[in-house]
Every structure is written in structure tokens, then in C-alpha cells.
Amino acid sequence: MVLPRQHTRLLKERVEHISDFVSLPSEEDETVLGVGVNGEVILGSDKKTGRAVALKIVSKQTKHLDELRLEIDLLSQMDHPNIVKLVASYEDKVNLYMVTEFCPGGDLSTRLASKRKKRFREWEAKCLVVQMCRAIAYVHSHGICHRDLKLNNWLYSFPLKKFESAKGAIKRARSFNSENEDMPQHTCVKLIDFGLSQKYYDMAQKEFCEMKSFVGTPGYVAPEIQQTLHHHIDHYDKAVDMWSMGVLAFNLLSGKMPFLHPSGGVNVAALLSDKIDRSYRSKFQNDSFWRNKASLESRDFIDKLLDPSPQSRLTAQEALAHPWLEVGGFKHGEGLGDDDVHLDNQTLERFRLFCTMSATEQAMMTLVAEAMPPADEVVLRELFLSIDSNNNGVISWEEMEAVLLNSDADSQTVRQIHTLFQETSVDMCEKNSVVYTEFLAATMDHRFLHDKRLLHQSFRNADVGNSGIVDVTELISAFSKISTPKRNDGGGIRGGQSCGLSADQQQSGTPAEGGAGLAAKVIRTINFDDFVEFCNKLDTQQQPHQK
């Protein structure tokens, strides 16, 4: 099993069967959620927790095997509220399986078709486009180009109702119609299907990788992809995603596709020359087409994305700063931060406590945060996005410092929180910053540390061998950052046994000091009962803040 993001370093070489972990439906009861580039996606459920998951299965005999491996690798690097979470992957002698979070709201294509006027109202489209551009900006910041942005690859995610089954949620989502225009409150969209994605920039080697493959979906393909196919140019870059974003915005606002013949075919001739610009302008850059559909600002936004020149086309960051969206601290050249964004006293104290924890404690908290249901992320997700003023999907110290000033944090709290941002991330594009799941871990309600079902899911995620035992040193290595210059990594659970080990102690097996000055012993492995006790103590034995 492969675990997402930091978890990928926990990978072992072994073969496991999916049925040991995920309940698979019978053929008669199978619910198909969608069809991706690398295979069909069906509804499954975690055997121990019962939580619904989306499952993609690819036979080892097909040509898509390596593509799914790459998709798993790329998705494992993603940690953003508008990108689907990789839950795990499994492999047996016959198939490769990818398990992702379940998004019950269906895709944008289905939702658009259910609209009475077959298009979104402008405020709805704007809300969707903001989320999409944030996700794309984050993907691009990791040197990845998605290359297949389309309506079907954006899924609605919303909280399940109490006692609602996964199939019940799917049925409810598919029943939305003109009589019920609005999706449930706190709905967000998530990007899926990285099956055609490619690394265009190697962060470690600091080298660009040329993209030349002819990929994508008809109607969304950028002209430079067609031009590369016909050898008019040598290669293309990440700007192809922003062309697709322009097509998406156009479709959401008008209900039509800008570059398809009535028959459904692609206007290839136009894509290969300046005819594309003339054709688009003659058909759609006029008031009669857009009457009562979209504002001048939204039309300008689309025009700047559907620019045939990739050099002058808006980037994702520039799109978010466009007057139509005006998202974050970069709009109209403003500085970082927002006077209205602040942390309440309780959230501020949780953040402070997280920054004073040992590496082991932070790893445990992050493990719990990764298993949180989407419904419990809503408030913190919005807070994270509001702090991330430059919309790159991570929180920098400059952004956090501005919020701490708004929150009237005392100098000691500021210094303690600053230590978290001084650490060097394994991922260079997240250097000296806090990623989404880490933010959730630092700010989540500590009642989750007593939620047995959530803790079971968290432990299960770390138990890569399904043995009932978790290797603590590997867990620390997977979650903690490389350098921790100012934080005590030797302390374990306050007032009890310590699992926090320094690098030397991990090698030599000598006892770690810490744990509120009490005698501590090295613990290299823990079972589920140990894990529950550990998490419970992280809440009940926190020390009050001394100013």
C-alpha cells in the first residue's frame, strides 16, 4: 500500500490484495462513479471504518499500468483543498488499485446539464473558477501540467447528511434540477484524473522537461498542442492548462463550447492558424451572444485565457488577480494579508501548541488530520485559503505573520509559531511554509483526538503492512521536515512515555529525554491501543500558555 504525500516514504516492497482493505461491490451492485483516462472508477468502502472511497482498477496486462503508476505518484505529491486526496494504492498479482476520497456531488458536466438554462449564473461560475484556478496554480507550482482539464474532471464535494449512505448522497446529487438550483452549503469542487499529467519542471534538478505528446480532450486542447503534433512548433508548456481553463469558464457562463463544430468535431484548421482568433472573435466577442449571460469583466477574463499566444495568456496566478475574480493579496498590486483575516483565541492557542510539540506528536496530529472527513474541514479550509493570499496553495511566514498581527498574538506566540516556518520541507516548492494538511493538524479541534473511529482510520493509514503495528521512527521520518533548528524533537507524550527520538537516538537506541522531565523510554513501534492513548494525552495533558 502507498500512502499519500509525506506518507510515500513509508512504502514497502510487497504484494497485497485489495479485498483485505476495501469492500468491493458485486457486479450486480456495482456503482460506476466515472471513467478516467486509465480506467473505470467505482464506489467502494473501507472495511474497518465503513467510509466510502473511489476505486480505480487497472489490469497489469493493459498498456495503462505505467500511466496509473505515474498518476499515483503525481497525486501523492498533492495536498490542496481543491484537489482530490489519494487515500492509498494497492497491488496484487493481477491488478493495480488506486483509492481516492469519495466526492458524492458528481461532476461539473452533469451539474451543468441539469441547469434550467444549461449554464451557471455568473456568481456560481465565478465561485467555481476561483477554486479551479487555485488548484491549477498549486499544480503548476509543483512543476506539473494536468493536460486534461474539462468539466468531467471536476467533482463536487460536500458533507454527507447524518446517517446518509454514499449511494444516497449520489442519488441526492443527481436529483439537483431547476427546482433546486443550489448545491448544498459549503460545496467545493476538486480536480481529479491526473492520468495525462506530466512533470514539466524538475524541482530537484532545476530543469525543464519538454512536453510534446498529443493529449487532451477535443474542444479543450490548446492550439499549441495541435501545432506541436503537426511540427509547427517544437513543444508546449503549462500554458495549455490555462487555455483549457478559458474553455471551461466560457462553457460555465454560456453553456456552449467555443471551438466545436455543430457536429461535435474540433475545428482543427482554426487551431493551426490565426483563424482561431478570428473565428472566436466573430462568433463570441459581441454583445448579442453574451446578452444577459455575463459581465464585461468575465468576458475579458475569458478573452485573456483564450489567447492563441501562450506567452501572453494569463497564468493561474494572474487569472486569480484578474478584476473579475480579485482573489487574495496580489489583486491590483496590494501587499500581503487582509485586515479581516485573523485567528480566534482558541485556534491561535492550538497553533501555538502544535509548534511546541515534538516531531512524534506533530506526526500523530498530522496523521489524524489527514483522516478528517471533508465535513469537518469546511471552516479550516476557508481559513487556510483566506490566509494564503498569493494563492500558491501553501502558507508562507509572511502571510502567517500578517494574520498573527491581526490576531493580536503576543511576541512569545509569534516566536513559537515562527519555528514551524523555519523548517526545510522535503518538497522545495513548499520550503519555509505550511501545507494544507499540516495547517489542519495545527488548528483542528482536539475533540478529534478522542474520536475512536477517526483514530482507527488514522492508524490504519499508517499501518502500511496491515500488521496492527506502526513503526514510529518511520512515521517521524515520513511526516517531519528535514531540519528542525529550534524545536525540541526529543520530547514525547507529556507526563508519559516518549516516542520522540533524535536522529542519534534512532540509530543507537538510547533513551530520549523529554516528556515533561519524567523518565522516558525508546518506543520504536506502537499498536492501536498505544496510539489511542498517545492521541488522548495530546489533548488532556497540554500545558497552559505562560505569557
Side-chain angles (χ1 to χ4, degrees), residues 216-242:
T217 297
Y220 295 91
V221 176
E224 57 265 35
I225 294 182
Q226 294 273 5
Q227 292 161 3
T228 302
L229 173 67
H230 292 272
H231 307 293
H232 291 196
I233 59 175
D234 185 52
H235 64 278
Y236 54 87
D237 60 20
K238 65 178 180 179
V240 299
D241 281 347
M242 298 314 296

PDB file of all heavy atoms in Angstrom, residues 216-242:
ATOM      1  N   GLY A 216      -5.138  15.121 -24.449  1.00  0.00           N
ATOM      2  CA  GLY A 216      -6.207  16.035 -24.077  1.00  0.00           C
ATOM      3  C   GLY A 216      -7.544  15.584 -24.614  1.00  0.00           C
ATOM      4  O   GLY A 216      -7.666  14.516 -25.228  1.00  0.00           O
ATOM      5  N   THR A 217      -8.558  16.407 -24.377  1.00  0.00           N
ATOM      6  CA  THR A 217      -9.924  16.104 -24.804  1.00  0.00           C
ATOM      7  C   THR A 217     -10.350  17.092 -25.876  1.00  0.00           C
ATOM      8  O   THR A 217     -10.147  18.310 -25.712  1.00  0.00           O
ATOM      9  CB  THR A 217     -10.885  16.198 -23.597  1.00  0.00           C
ATOM     10  OG1 THR A 217     -10.505  15.211 -22.627  1.00  0.00           O
ATOM     11  CG2 THR A 217     -12.323  15.946 -24.026  1.00  0.00           C
ATOM     12  N   PRO A 218     -10.925  16.609 -26.994  1.00  0.00           N
ATOM     13  CA  PRO A 218     -11.364  17.514 -28.066  1.00  0.00           C
ATOM     14  C   PRO A 218     -12.225  18.654 -27.524  1.00  0.00           C
ATOM     15  O   PRO A 218     -13.108  18.448 -26.699  1.00  0.00           O
ATOM     16  CB  PRO A 218     -12.179  16.592 -28.978  1.00  0.00           C
ATOM     17  CG  PRO A 218     -11.561  15.239 -28.775  1.00  0.00           C
ATOM     18  CD  PRO A 218     -11.183  15.199 -27.322  1.00  0.00           C
ATOM     19  N   GLY A 219     -11.950  19.840 -28.004  1.00  0.00           N
ATOM     20  CA  GLY A 219     -12.680  21.015 -27.550  1.00  0.00           C
ATOM     21  C   GLY A 219     -11.960  21.783 -26.466  1.00  0.00           C
ATOM     22  O   GLY A 219     -12.190  22.986 -26.295  1.00  0.00           O
ATOM     23  N   TYR A 220     -11.089  21.092 -25.716  1.00  0.00           N
ATOM     24  CA  TYR A 220     -10.343  21.733 -24.636  1.00  0.00           C
ATOM     25  C   TYR A 220      -8.852  21.867 -24.960  1.00  0.00           C
ATOM     26  O   TYR A 220      -8.113  22.508 -24.218  1.00  0.00           O
ATOM     27  CB  TYR A 220     -10.477  20.919 -23.341  1.00  0.00           C
ATOM     28  CG  TYR A 220     -11.871  20.855 -22.779  1.00  0.00           C
ATOM     29  CD1 TYR A 220     -12.746  19.826 -23.137  1.00  0.00           C
ATOM     30  CD2 TYR A 220     -12.328  21.813 -21.878  1.00  0.00           C
ATOM     31  CE1 TYR A 220     -14.031  19.760 -22.617  1.00  0.00           C
ATOM     32  CE2 TYR A 220     -13.610  21.751 -21.352  1.00  0.00           C
ATOM     33  CZ  TYR A 220     -14.462  20.718 -21.722  1.00  0.00           C
ATOM     34  OH  TYR A 220     -15.727  20.654 -21.210  1.00  0.00           O
ATOM     35  N   VAL A 221      -8.410  21.238 -26.044  1.00  0.00           N
ATOM     36  CA  VAL A 221      -6.987  21.177 -26.382  1.00  0.00           C
ATOM     37  C   VAL A 221      -6.497  22.539 -26.875  1.00  0.00           C
ATOM     38  O   VAL A 221      -7.087  23.142 -27.775  1.00  0.00           O
ATOM     39  CB  VAL A 221      -6.724  20.102 -27.446  1.00  0.00           C
ATOM     40  CG1 VAL A 221      -5.264  20.101 -27.865  1.00  0.00           C
ATOM     41  CG2 VAL A 221      -7.111  18.731 -26.902  1.00  0.00           C
ATOM     42  N   ALA A 222      -5.385  23.004 -26.305  1.00  0.00           N
ATOM     43  CA  ALA A 222      -4.806  24.287 -26.694  1.00  0.00           C
ATOM     44  C   ALA A 222      -4.222  24.215 -28.095  1.00  0.00           C
ATOM     45  O   ALA A 222      -3.776  23.156 -28.542  1.00  0.00           O
ATOM     46  CB  ALA A 222      -3.723  24.692 -25.692  1.00  0.00           C
ATOM     47  N   PRO A 223      -4.203  25.345 -28.823  1.00  0.00           N
ATOM     48  CA  PRO A 223      -3.690  25.313 -30.203  1.00  0.00           C
ATOM     49  C   PRO A 223      -2.237  24.855 -30.294  1.00  0.00           C
ATOM     50  O   PRO A 223      -1.863  24.195 -31.272  1.00  0.00           O
ATOM     51  CB  PRO A 223      -3.847  26.773 -30.662  1.00  0.00           C
ATOM     52  CG  PRO A 223      -4.059  27.581 -29.423  1.00  0.00           C
ATOM     53  CD  PRO A 223      -4.717  26.670 -28.447  1.00  0.00           C
ATOM     54  N   GLU A 224      -1.418  25.172 -29.281  1.00  0.00           N
ATOM     55  CA  GLU A 224      -0.006  24.775 -29.368  1.00  0.00           C
ATOM     56  C   GLU A 224       0.195  23.267 -29.258  1.00  0.00           C
ATOM     57  O   GLU A 224       1.217  22.734 -29.712  1.00  0.00           O
ATOM     58  CB  GLU A 224       0.843  25.508 -28.318  1.00  0.00           C
ATOM     59  CG  GLU A 224       0.401  25.327 -26.890  1.00  0.00           C
ATOM     60  CD  GLU A 224      -0.505  26.439 -26.391  1.00  0.00           C
ATOM     61  OE1 GLU A 224      -1.311  26.945 -27.208  1.00  0.00           O
ATOM     62  OE2 GLU A 224      -0.403  26.785 -25.201  1.00  0.00           O
ATOM     63  N   ILE A 225      -0.770  22.545 -28.679  1.00  0.00           N
ATOM     64  CA  ILE A 225      -0.674  21.080 -28.677  1.00  0.00           C
ATOM     65  C   ILE A 225      -0.885  20.557 -30.093  1.00  0.00           C
ATOM     66  O   ILE A 225      -0.163  19.664 -30.565  1.00  0.00           O
ATOM     67  CB  ILE A 225      -1.700  20.462 -27.698  1.00  0.00           C
ATOM     68  CG1 ILE A 225      -1.340  20.839 -26.259  1.00  0.00           C
ATOM     69  CG2 ILE A 225      -1.737  18.945 -27.847  1.00  0.00           C
ATOM     70  CD1 ILE A 225      -2.266  20.241 -25.207  1.00  0.00           C
ATOM     71  N   GLN A 226      -1.881  21.112 -30.785  1.00  0.00           N
ATOM     72  CA  GLN A 226      -2.094  20.751 -32.192  1.00  0.00           C
ATOM     73  C   GLN A 226      -0.883  21.148 -33.038  1.00  0.00           C
ATOM     74  O   GLN A 226      -0.444  20.394 -33.915  1.00  0.00           O
ATOM     75  CB  GLN A 226      -3.344  21.485 -32.717  1.00  0.00           C
ATOM     76  CG  GLN A 226      -4.651  21.048 -32.080  1.00  0.00           C
ATOM     77  CD  GLN A 226      -5.263  19.854 -32.789  1.00  0.00           C
ATOM     78  OE1 GLN A 226      -4.664  19.283 -33.707  1.00  0.00           O
ATOM     79  NE2 GLN A 226      -6.450  19.456 -32.372  1.00  0.00           N
ATOM     80  N   GLN A 227      -0.321  22.316 -32.767  1.00  0.00           N
ATOM     81  CA  GLN A 227       0.815  22.801 -33.551  1.00  0.00           C
ATOM     82  C   GLN A 227       2.055  21.930 -33.334  1.00  0.00           C
ATOM     83  O   GLN A 227       2.859  21.736 -34.256  1.00  0.00           O
ATOM     84  CB  GLN A 227       1.101  24.254 -33.190  1.00  0.00           C
ATOM     85  CG  GLN A 227      -0.001  25.200 -33.652  1.00  0.00           C
ATOM     86  CD  GLN A 227       0.015  26.538 -32.921  1.00  0.00           C
ATOM     87  OE1 GLN A 227       0.890  26.795 -32.094  1.00  0.00           O
ATOM     88  NE2 GLN A 227      -0.958  27.384 -33.228  1.00  0.00           N
ATOM     89  N   THR A 228       2.215  21.412 -32.108  1.00  0.00           N
ATOM     90  CA  THR A 228       3.327  20.501 -31.833  1.00  0.00           C
ATOM     91  C   THR A 228       3.151  19.196 -32.604  1.00  0.00           C
ATOM     92  O   THR A 228       4.105  18.641 -33.162  1.00  0.00           O
ATOM     93  CB  THR A 228       3.433  20.209 -30.324  1.00  0.00           C
ATOM     94  OG1 THR A 228       3.607  21.431 -29.619  1.00  0.00           O
ATOM     95  CG2 THR A 228       4.606  19.300 -30.021  1.00  0.00           C
ATOM     96  N   LEU A 229       1.914  18.703 -32.644  1.00  0.00           N
ATOM     97  CA  LEU A 229       1.623  17.469 -33.382  1.00  0.00           C
ATOM     98  C   LEU A 229       2.012  17.598 -34.849  1.00  0.00           C
ATOM     99  O   LEU A 229       2.580  16.669 -35.443  1.00  0.00           O
ATOM    100  CB  LEU A 229       0.136  17.124 -33.256  1.00  0.00           C
ATOM    101  CG  LEU A 229      -0.373  15.955 -34.098  1.00  0.00           C
ATOM    102  CD1 LEU A 229       0.227  14.634 -33.623  1.00  0.00           C
ATOM    103  CD2 LEU A 229      -1.906  15.882 -34.054  1.00  0.00           C
ATOM    104  N   HIS A 230       1.723  18.752 -35.425  1.00  0.00           N
ATOM    105  CA  HIS A 230       1.998  18.962 -36.860  1.00  0.00           C
ATOM    106  C   HIS A 230       3.357  19.618 -37.094  1.00  0.00           C
ATOM    107  O   HIS A 230       3.618  20.113 -38.199  1.00  0.00           O
ATOM    108  CB  HIS A 230       0.885  19.814 -37.468  1.00  0.00           C
ATOM    109  CG  HIS A 230      -0.444  19.095 -37.525  1.00  0.00           C
ATOM    110  ND1 HIS A 230      -0.805  18.308 -38.588  1.00  0.00           N
ATOM    111  CD2 HIS A 230      -1.467  19.023 -36.633  1.00  0.00           C
ATOM    112  CE1 HIS A 230      -2.008  17.787 -38.364  1.00  0.00           C
ATOM    113  NE2 HIS A 230      -2.432  18.210 -37.185  1.00  0.00           N
ATOM    114  N   HIS A 231       4.206  19.616 -36.035  1.00  0.00           N
ATOM    115  CA  HIS A 231       5.598  20.087 -36.134  1.00  0.00           C
ATOM    116  C   HIS A 231       5.709  21.560 -36.516  1.00  0.00           C
ATOM    117  O   HIS A 231       6.718  21.987 -37.084  1.00  0.00           O
ATOM    118  CB  HIS A 231       6.385  19.232 -37.138  1.00  0.00           C
ATOM    119  CG  HIS A 231       6.296  17.767 -36.863  1.00  0.00           C
ATOM    120  ND1 HIS A 231       6.864  17.183 -35.735  1.00  0.00           N
ATOM    121  CD2 HIS A 231       5.677  16.751 -37.537  1.00  0.00           C
ATOM    122  CE1 HIS A 231       6.611  15.876 -35.756  1.00  0.00           C
ATOM    123  NE2 HIS A 231       5.897  15.595 -36.825  1.00  0.00           N
ATOM    124  N   HIS A 232       4.670  22.340 -36.202  1.00  0.00           N
ATOM    125  CA  HIS A 232       4.761  23.777 -36.425  1.00  0.00           C
ATOM    126  C   HIS A 232       5.600  24.426 -35.329  1.00  0.00           C
ATOM    127  O   HIS A 232       6.219  25.470 -35.550  1.00  0.00           O
ATOM    128  CB  HIS A 232       3.361  24.400 -36.448  1.00  0.00           C
ATOM    129  CG  HIS A 232       2.568  23.994 -37.645  1.00  0.00           C
ATOM    130  ND1 HIS A 232       1.430  24.655 -38.054  1.00  0.00           N
ATOM    131  CD2 HIS A 232       2.738  22.987 -38.556  1.00  0.00           C
ATOM    132  CE1 HIS A 232       0.933  24.084 -39.129  1.00  0.00           C
ATOM    133  NE2 HIS A 232       1.710  23.062 -39.447  1.00  0.00           N
ATOM    134  N   ILE A 233       5.577  23.811 -34.134  1.00  0.00           N
ATOM    135  CA  ILE A 233       6.452  24.230 -33.036  1.00  0.00           C
ATOM    136  C   ILE A 233       7.043  22.974 -32.410  1.00  0.00           C
ATOM    137  O   ILE A 233       6.561  21.860 -32.636  1.00  0.00           O
ATOM    138  CB  ILE A 233       5.704  25.070 -31.968  1.00  0.00           C
ATOM    139  CG1 ILE A 233       4.545  24.281 -31.364  1.00  0.00           C
ATOM    140  CG2 ILE A 233       5.218  26.392 -32.553  1.00  0.00           C
ATOM    141  CD1 ILE A 233       3.836  25.008 -30.227  1.00  0.00           C
ATOM    142  N   ASP A 234       8.091  23.158 -31.602  1.00  0.00           N
ATOM    143  CA  ASP A 234       8.830  22.007 -31.072  1.00  0.00           C
ATOM    144  C   ASP A 234       8.171  21.387 -29.843  1.00  0.00           C
ATOM    145  O   ASP A 234       8.181  20.168 -29.666  1.00  0.00           O
ATOM    146  CB  ASP A 234      10.266  22.442 -30.725  1.00  0.00           C
ATOM    147  CG  ASP A 234      11.122  21.265 -30.277  1.00  0.00           C
ATOM    148  OD1 ASP A 234      11.172  20.261 -31.011  1.00  0.00           O
ATOM    149  OD2 ASP A 234      11.708  21.335 -29.178  1.00  0.00           O
ATOM    150  N   HIS A 235       7.598  22.217 -28.964  1.00  0.00           N
ATOM    151  CA  HIS A 235       6.992  21.711 -27.736  1.00  0.00           C
ATOM    152  C   HIS A 235       6.037  22.768 -27.164  1.00  0.00           C
ATOM    153  O   HIS A 235       5.954  23.888 -27.680  1.00  0.00           O
ATOM    154  CB  HIS A 235       8.072  21.365 -26.696  1.00  0.00           C
ATOM    155  CG  HIS A 235       8.854  22.549 -26.224  1.00  0.00           C
ATOM    156  ND1 HIS A 235       9.914  23.065 -26.933  1.00  0.00           N
ATOM    157  CD2 HIS A 235       8.726  23.338 -25.119  1.00  0.00           C
ATOM    158  CE1 HIS A 235      10.418  24.110 -26.303  1.00  0.00           C
ATOM    159  NE2 HIS A 235       9.716  24.302 -25.204  1.00  0.00           N
ATOM    160  N   TYR A 236       5.341  22.398 -26.107  1.00  0.00           N
ATOM    161  CA  TYR A 236       4.430  23.337 -25.438  1.00  0.00           C
ATOM    162  C   TYR A 236       4.731  23.328 -23.948  1.00  0.00           C
ATOM    163  O   TYR A 236       5.564  22.555 -23.456  1.00  0.00           O
ATOM    164  CB  TYR A 236       2.972  22.976 -25.708  1.00  0.00           C
ATOM    165  CG  TYR A 236       2.588  21.543 -25.371  1.00  0.00           C
ATOM    166  CD1 TYR A 236       2.186  21.190 -24.085  1.00  0.00           C
ATOM    167  CD2 TYR A 236       2.626  20.538 -26.342  1.00  0.00           C
ATOM    168  CE1 TYR A 236       1.825  19.875 -23.772  1.00  0.00           C
ATOM    169  CE2 TYR A 236       2.278  19.223 -26.040  1.00  0.00           C
ATOM    170  CZ  TYR A 236       1.880  18.903 -24.759  1.00  0.00           C
ATOM    171  OH  TYR A 236       1.527  17.614 -24.438  1.00  0.00           O
ATOM    172  N   ASP A 237       4.050  24.213 -23.187  1.00  0.00           N
ATOM    173  CA  ASP A 237       4.323  24.302 -21.754  1.00  0.00           C
ATOM    174  C   ASP A 237       3.018  24.328 -20.950  1.00  0.00           C
ATOM    175  O   ASP A 237       1.945  24.018 -21.491  1.00  0.00           O
ATOM    176  CB  ASP A 237       5.189  25.529 -21.440  1.00  0.00           C
ATOM    177  CG  ASP A 237       4.526  26.849 -21.841  1.00  0.00           C
ATOM    178  OD1 ASP A 237       3.277  26.871 -21.996  1.00  0.00           O
ATOM    179  OD2 ASP A 237       5.238  27.852 -22.004  1.00  0.00           O
ATOM    180  N   LYS A 238       3.099  24.717 -19.685  1.00  0.00           N
ATOM    181  CA  LYS A 238       1.952  24.668 -18.781  1.00  0.00           C
ATOM    182  C   LYS A 238       0.809  25.577 -19.203  1.00  0.00           C
ATOM    183  O   LYS A 238      -0.321  25.427 -18.707  1.00  0.00           O
ATOM    184  CB  LYS A 238       2.394  25.043 -17.366  1.00  0.00           C
ATOM    185  CG  LYS A 238       2.872  26.491 -17.240  1.00  0.00           C
ATOM    186  CD  LYS A 238       3.257  26.840 -15.819  1.00  0.00           C
ATOM    187  CE  LYS A 238       3.730  28.280 -15.711  1.00  0.00           C
ATOM    188  NZ  LYS A 238       4.080  28.654 -14.335  1.00  0.00           N
ATOM    189  N   ALA A 239       1.058  26.504 -20.120  1.00  0.00           N
ATOM    190  CA  ALA A 239       0.008  27.421 -20.563  1.00  0.00           C
ATOM    191  C   ALA A 239      -1.167  26.690 -21.208  1.00  0.00           C
ATOM    192  O   ALA A 239      -2.271  27.251 -21.310  1.00  0.00           O
ATOM    193  CB  ALA A 239       0.589  28.446 -21.546  1.00  0.00           C
ATOM    194  N   VAL A 240      -0.951  25.440 -21.625  1.00  0.00           N
ATOM    195  CA  VAL A 240      -2.061  24.682 -22.222  1.00  0.00           C
ATOM    196  C   VAL A 240      -3.194  24.488 -21.215  1.00  0.00           C
ATOM    197  O   VAL A 240      -4.371  24.412 -21.599  1.00  0.00           O
ATOM    198  CB  VAL A 240      -1.580  23.320 -22.762  1.00  0.00           C
ATOM    199  CG1 VAL A 240      -0.533  23.511 -23.852  1.00  0.00           C
ATOM    200  CG2 VAL A 240      -1.030  22.432 -21.654  1.00  0.00           C
ATOM    201  N   ASP A 241      -2.858  24.393 -19.936  1.00  0.00           N
ATOM    202  CA  ASP A 241      -3.893  24.245 -18.908  1.00  0.00           C
ATOM    203  C   ASP A 241      -4.763  25.494 -18.812  1.00  0.00           C
ATOM    204  O   ASP A 241      -5.973  25.410 -18.565  1.00  0.00           O
ATOM    205  CB  ASP A 241      -3.264  23.958 -17.538  1.00  0.00           C
ATOM    206  CG  ASP A 241      -2.843  22.511 -17.357  1.00  0.00           C
ATOM    207  OD1 ASP A 241      -3.256  21.665 -18.178  1.00  0.00           O
ATOM    208  OD2 ASP A 241      -2.096  22.225 -16.405  1.00  0.00           O
ATOM    209  N   MET A 242      -4.156  26.656 -19.003  1.00  0.00           N
ATOM    210  CA  MET A 242      -4.922  27.894 -18.887  1.00  0.00           C
ATOM    211  C   MET A 242      -5.827  28.107 -20.090  1.00  0.00           C
ATOM    212  O   MET A 242      -6.889  28.731 -19.981  1.00  0.00           O
ATOM    213  CB  MET A 242      -3.972  29.075 -18.686  1.00  0.00           C
ATOM    214  CG  MET A 242      -3.137  28.985 -17.409  1.00  0.00           C
ATOM    215  SD  MET A 242      -4.114  28.505 -15.928  1.00  0.00           S
ATOM    216  CE  MET A 242      -5.231  29.903 -15.786  1.00  0.00           C
TER     217      MET A 242
END
